[in-house]
Amino acid sequence: MTQHPLSVVLAGGGTAGHISPLLAIADAVTAQRPDARITVVGTASGMETRLVPAAGYELATIDRVPMPRRPSADLVKLPARLVRAVKQAGAILDAAQADVVVGVGGYVSTPVYLAARRRSLPVIVHEANARPGLANRVGARFAAVTGVAFEATSLPKATWVGMPMRREISSLDRNAARAGARAALGLKPDMPTLVVTGGSSGAASINRAVEQALPALAAAGIQTLHITGRGKSLLDAAGRPLAAPGYTQVEYVDGMETAYAAADLLLARSGAGTVCEISAVGLPAVLVPLPHGNGEQALNAEALVSAGGALTVADPLFTAEWISGRLIPLLADPAALDAMSRASSSLGIRDADQRMAAFILEASDRSKA
């Protein structure tokens, strides 16, 4: 009997924080098994509807099943919604003739994990955050392997693998790429360079503090690339994009490896992807954890801060005065930045995508043995 090519179903979506590692894992699998069939399961309303087809992979969708944490109408509807989504996920697994199921968390993963368990398919989990989400706490209970981005993440059978990321980032040599990156971004080649980003959706509180600190940054001879987020451009009184000496703002950068290479210091939120990427490339950072949610962003940064690779400041305390008193002196201290870079690199993992691919291939081989 001729076996069909390896079929891997990956579940996750909603945000770039789920989709980016998912696609990195898919790319690593197909690099080793070019004939592998990759199917991604998402919902019809997430970023995956654009990003997955653009990456060349098949997308199948199931209903979104919110997991309410408090009594609500959604909680009453949960059992029926979950049953329907599990049936939808099962139909996708059957149609794909899935050999292995991989989940990266989020609403879509729980139904896929449950459908895979009913079919006795091996499940591989990847958890991006230091504090695991509900879906992956469910999946990890019966997963063959659970890979985690942060060593301190507590899940059954957890293996520290790092964060799967695009090869353009994981293979980046910042020193070699710096001159070209600054030229591409319209920056001067030899000025101390601060790169500011709040992620794809921007961070209003960071944007405000940076705007107020622009005179101090310019006076210190620092050039600032401010990635404001889509629709978050800073405007002057006349409604034009804000201009200031040494200041460049863009809503987004196509390929954050260019921004990482250009930067001497990064100012950002501490999303899991950002923390792992700057560790992989050895980029010093000031991190302002998102003040909402369950506190996972502060936890994401803990190990990097303890190692000396980053500083954190609570969102309410992050002001123009903090920038003047702490950030500007740091940017003026090359020795301190070098030490932070080395500390950051000591935690960096550049081959998480390949580690996850190895788990997937091993699980497939065992299931077919």
Side-chain angles (χ1 to χ4, degrees):
M1 179 178 173
T2 302
Q3 288 188 334
H4 64 261
L6 172 66
S7 176
V8 181
V9 174
L10 298 105
T15 67
H18 286 136
I19 301 165
S20 294
L22 182 153
L23 293 177
I25 294 169
D27 288 346
V29 170
T30 55
Q32 295 190 46
R33 295 280 184 89
D35 64 338
R37 177 181 179 183
I38 303 292
T39 306
V40 177
V41 183
T43 69
S45 59
M47 294 175 67
E48 61 270 24
T49 57
R50 176 173 55 88
L51 297 178
V52 170
Y57 295 114
E58 176 185 352
L59 176 68
T61 60
I62 63 174
D63 292 345
R64 185 174 178 271
V65 184
M67 299 292 179
R69 300 182 185 277
R70 289 183 293 273
S72 66
D74 279 338
L75 186 59
V76 174
K77 297 175 183 176
L78 176 60
R81 284 176 170 171
L82 185 59
V83 167
R84 184 168 59 250
V86 170
K87 288 181 179 178
Q88 293 169 340
I92 292 169
L93 298 181
D94 294 341
Q97 296 182 276
D99 296 305
V100 185
V101 170
V102 184
V104 296
Y107 292 130
V108 74
S109 292
T110 303
V112 179
Y113 291 150
L114 296 175
R117 189 183 191 192
R118 289 183 178 180
R119 288 158 176 76
S120 299
L121 293 172
V123 171
I124 309 291
V125 170
H126 184 271
E127 173 55 54
N129 283 294
R131 177 174 286 156
L134 176 60
N136 280 349
R137 294 203 303 272
V138 171
R141 292 178 182 176
F142 49 86
V145 181
T146 298
V148 294
F150 296 99
E151 187 176 17
T153 301
S154 179
L155 280 173
K157 294 177 282 189
T159 301
W160 184 29
V161 298
M163 179 73 79
M165 60 189 74
R166 293 186 302 110
R167 300 303 295 171
E168 291 86 352
I169 292 175
S170 62
S171 63
L172 177 66
D173 181 335
R174 288 178 53 237
N175 290 331
R178 181 175 296 116
R182 290 185 179 178
L185 293 167
L187 302 173
K188 294 182 179 178
D190 299 320
M191 289 181 71
T193 302
L194 172 67
V195 172
V196 181
T197 176
S200 58
S201 59
S205 60
I206 292 178
N207 289 354
R208 282 194 302 271
V210 169
E211 180 179 7
Q212 294 165 6
L214 287 179
L217 289 163
I222 293 167
Q223 64 179 341
T224 302
L225 172 67
H226 191 173
I227 308 169
T228 62
R230 293 183 186 274
K232 300 280 179 64
S233 292
L234 300 183
L235 305 177
D236 62 19
R240 295 184 297 263
L242 184 67
Y247 177 69
T248 301
Q249 67 163 309
V250 294
E251 289 196 351
Y252 68 98
V253 169
D254 186 15
M256 279 300 293
E257 63 275 6
T258 308
Y260 292 158
D264 292 306
L265 180 70
L266 182 77
L267 169 60
R269 294 293 192 202
S270 50
T274 297
V275 172
C276 292
E277 288 175 0
I278 61 178
S279 298
V281 304
L283 175 58
V286 169
L287 300 172
V288 187
L290 187 72
H292 314 299
N294 62 6
E296 71 270 11
Q297 285 210 355
L299 290 175
N300 291 344
E302 276 188 355
L304 184 57
V305 172
S306 296
L311 301 178
T312 52
V313 53
D315 190 86
L317 302 178
F318 183 70
T319 62
E321 290 73 24
W322 196 96
I323 292 173
S324 294
R326 297 291 302 278
L327 189 151
I328 288 175
L330 176 59
L331 254 173
D333 189 344
L337 292 174
D338 285 344
M340 290 178 73
S341 179
R342 291 193 299 272
S344 184
S345 293
S346 72
L347 293 181
I349 298 177
R350 291 177 175 248
D351 63 346
D353 56 339
Q354 296 169 60
R355 297 184 189 194
M356 289 298 297
F359 292 149
I360 292 165
L361 298 180
E362 289 167 9
S364 172
D365 291 343
R366 283 198 302 271
S367 69
K368 292 179 179 179

